[in-house]
Amino acid sequence: LERLPRGEIVRAHVLPGHALEMRFSSHAFRFVNNNGWTLLGPHGLRFNLSEGRNTIGRGRDNNVSLGKEFRNVSRRHLIAEPVDDHVILLTDISSHGTFAPGLHLERPAQ
């Protein structure tokens, strides 16, 4: 897994019915693409993402609030923006890093 560049948008391609394995700091998560985007986490955590901008982190002010038990996940860790049925834009805004397999990622042209 490679670290996403902090503060830069990265485009992830995930075919319908598949998942993108990720790590938010040291915690394993998956973005699943199956008739909408879902974030799956440890211990059966499941969050459906809405259209547009989703903020993810420990803080209660996020669209996806992971909870305080994820101590090394930032309060505002990641922005996830579903684009269509096979592309999601990811922006790491954390201090601790977000990691994903490089073969699924590309930086959009500026």
Side-chain angles (χ1 to χ4, degrees):
L1 299 178
E2 47 182 271
R3 186 173 181 163
L4 273 61
R6 189 165 193 254
E8 292 183 33
I9 296 171
V10 174
R11 182 177 303 188
H13 297 269
V14 182
L15 295 173
H18 291 83
L20 175 63
E21 305 288 333
M22 298 191 71
R23 288 189 120 9
F24 298 174
S25 185
S26 61
H27 302 281
F29 285 87
R30 292 186 301 158
F31 282 106
V32 178
N33 177 4
N34 196 8
N35 291 331
W37 290 90
T38 304
L39 176 66
L40 301 178
H43 315 297
L45 287 178
R46 180 184 188 95
F47 302 95
N48 293 323
L49 299 182
S50 58
E51 290 183 24
R53 183 181 169 112
N54 295 270
T55 58
I56 301 167
R58 281 186 299 119
R60 291 182 183 171
D61 59 338
N62 292 294
N63 302 80
V64 176
S65 180
L66 300 176
K68 59 185 174 186
E69 64 271 14
F70 293 97
R71 293 193 187 279
N72 54 355
V73 171
S74 297
R75 285 185 186 101
R76 291 181 54 90
H77 195 92
L78 182 73
I79 299 170
E81 300 176 74
V83 174
D84 57 30
D85 66 352
H86 66 280
V87 174
I88 188 167
L89 301 179
L90 304 169
T91 307
D92 177 22
I93 54 175
S94 75
S95 307
H96 305 287
T98 303
F99 304 85
L103 65 126
H104 290 281
L105 307 174
E106 72 178 54
R107 291 185 183 165
Q110 298 295 329

